[in-house]
Amino acid sequence: MSVSNRPHLQIKNHILASLSATEYQRLVPHLEPVNLPVRQVLYAAGEPITHVYFPYQAITSLVCNLEDGSTVEAGVISNDGMVGLPVIWGGNSTTTTAFIQAAGSGVKMKAEVLIKEFNRGGELQRLLLRYTQALFTQVTQTAACNRLHTIEERLARWLLIVGDRMQSNTFPLTQEFIAQMLGCRRSGVTVAAGTLSKAGIISYKRGNITILNREDLENTSCECYSIIKNEYARLLGTQG
């Protein structure tokens, strides 16, 4: 079958593009195009998840919110997967909040429809189960990384993951936002970013970060980036 007969292959979401044409067409009537602006909350901690999202360019952060008002990022979702996995685990809420970190587009589906399609078994179920394992690897590796590695290593890992998902070496990020995602002080991010900048690995100007030397950034990162990336490639054939 030619690509022209399988237009969904052009969709910039790995889960949807990996479905056969027949399986994808089953979902089409239930997929609603959406624009996802920065800071939009897709679901909040403790609240029912009414829709799931398949991002195209948008990047979603899964964050834990603590009683003192601080936040830390537990995982990142973009065109590699789906936002709203807890609905297929048997629950309709979670302890994390999902919000848009980088604007873009995508499609959404009612959670009840996704659950019905998932319970049919077949391609979608297998893809989402493999994606669950890949995301679990990212979340657990991020937890270990935040506890054991330096801010500089963590910053390098985080920039690489964001760059992979945006498919760009330049993206708008403030140091305050990065500090919130890494669960550290802004001063720590300032020092780490300054070190990388002086080494010619990144540049930081007016809220925009550019990766200048990806190889050196990977060498600066801890092993967590390669572990996450390799697991996504093994399970989904995509970058972590």
Side-chain angles (χ1 to χ4, degrees), residues 34-44 52-63 73 75-79 82-83 97-108 158 162 166 172-173 177 180-181:
V34 289
N35 289 317
L36 302 169
V38 173
R39 296 288 181 172
Q40 178 179 342
V41 175
L42 302 186
Y43 61 78
V52 299
Y53 296 79
F54 297 89
Y56 293 171
Q57 304 89 5
I59 298 180
T60 305
S61 289
L62 303 180
V63 298
E73 187 178 74
V76 179
I77 300 173
S78 186
N79 57 10
M82 184 190 82
V83 182
T97 293
F99 75 95
I100 300 301
Q101 176 192 127
S105 61
V107 292
K108 69 178 182 179
W158 192 80
V162 172
M166 296 193 73
L173 292 170
F177 179 78
Q180 291 176 341
M181 295 300 97

Side-chain angles (χ1 to χ4, degrees), residues 102-118:
S105 61
V107 292
K108 69 178 182 179
M109 174 191 293
K110 291 182 178 179
E112 59 192 42
V113 175
L114 187 279
I115 294 170
K116 181 179 179 180
E117 290 296 324
F118 179 83

Side-chain angles (χ1 to χ4, degrees):
M1 184 179 294
S2 67
V3 172
S4 62
N5 291 328
R6 301 180 66 183
H8 71 290
L9 292 179
Q10 301 174 18
I11 290 177
K12 296 180 180 180
N13 178 277
H14 183 78
I15 299 295
L16 296 180
S18 295
L19 294 170
S20 67
T22 300
E23 288 296 306
Y24 176 72
Q25 289 301 322
R26 282 180 54 82
L27 303 183
V28 168
H30 308 291
L31 297 175
E32 179 184 347
V34 289
N35 289 317
L36 302 169
V38 173
R39 296 288 181 172
Q40 178 179 342
V41 175
L42 302 186
Y43 61 78
E47 295 185 357
I49 299 174
T50 60
H51 291 81
V52 299
Y53 296 79
F54 297 89
Y56 293 171
Q57 304 89 5
I59 298 180
T60 305
S61 289
L62 303 180
V63 298
C64 300
N65 302 285
L66 305 182
E67 289 184 354
D68 63 1
S70 60
T71 61
V72 63
E73 187 178 74
V76 179
I77 300 173
S78 186
N79 57 10
D80 54 301
M82 184 190 82
V83 182
L85 280 176
V87 301
I88 67 170
W89 302 338
N92 69 338
S93 65
T94 181
T95 57
T96 57
T97 293
F99 75 95
I100 300 301
Q101 176 192 127
S105 61
V107 292
K108 69 178 182 179
M109 174 191 293
K110 291 182 178 179
E112 59 192 42
V113 175
L114 187 279
I115 294 170
K116 181 179 179 180
E117 290 296 324
F118 179 83
N119 288 337
R120 289 182 66 250
E123 295 176 27
L124 182 62
Q125 184 185 85
R126 289 193 294 273
L127 282 167
L128 289 178
L129 287 176
R130 289 205 300 271
Y131 178 66
T132 295
Q133 183 177 345
L135 184 63
F136 182 75
T137 297
Q138 184 193 155
V139 170
T140 55
Q141 201 66 39
T142 297
C145 187
N146 286 343
R147 173 64 181 84
L148 299 174
H149 294 143
T150 67
I151 295 179
E152 187 175 318
E153 291 173 321
R154 290 157 56 192
L155 175 60
R157 182 260 303 167
W158 192 80
L159 291 175
L160 288 165
I161 288 177
V162 172
D164 286 345
R165 281 158 174 74
M166 296 193 73
Q167 297 181 336
S168 173
N169 287 324
T170 300
F171 27 86
L173 292 170
T174 65
Q175 292 186 4
E176 180 179 2
F177 179 78
I178 296 172
Q180 291 176 341
M181 295 300 97
L182 296 182
C184 63
R185 294 179 182 274
R186 179 178 176 179
S187 58
V189 173
T190 300
V191 172
T195 300
L196 296 179
S197 181
K198 290 179 182 178
I201 298 175
I202 68 169
S203 68
Y204 179 78
K205 295 180 180 179
R206 299 178 181 177
N208 287 293
I209 289 181
T210 300
I211 298 174
L212 301 175
N213 190 321
R214 185 179 180 87
E215 182 178 355
D216 284 352
L217 190 61
E218 290 187 16
N219 290 335
T220 301
S221 174
C222 49
E223 70 271 22
C224 297
Y225 170 68
S226 61
I227 290 173
I228 294 169
K229 179 179 179 179
N230 291 339
E231 190 70 349
Y232 271 73
R234 183 179 73 85
L235 293 167
L236 302 170
T238 187
Q239 292 181 320

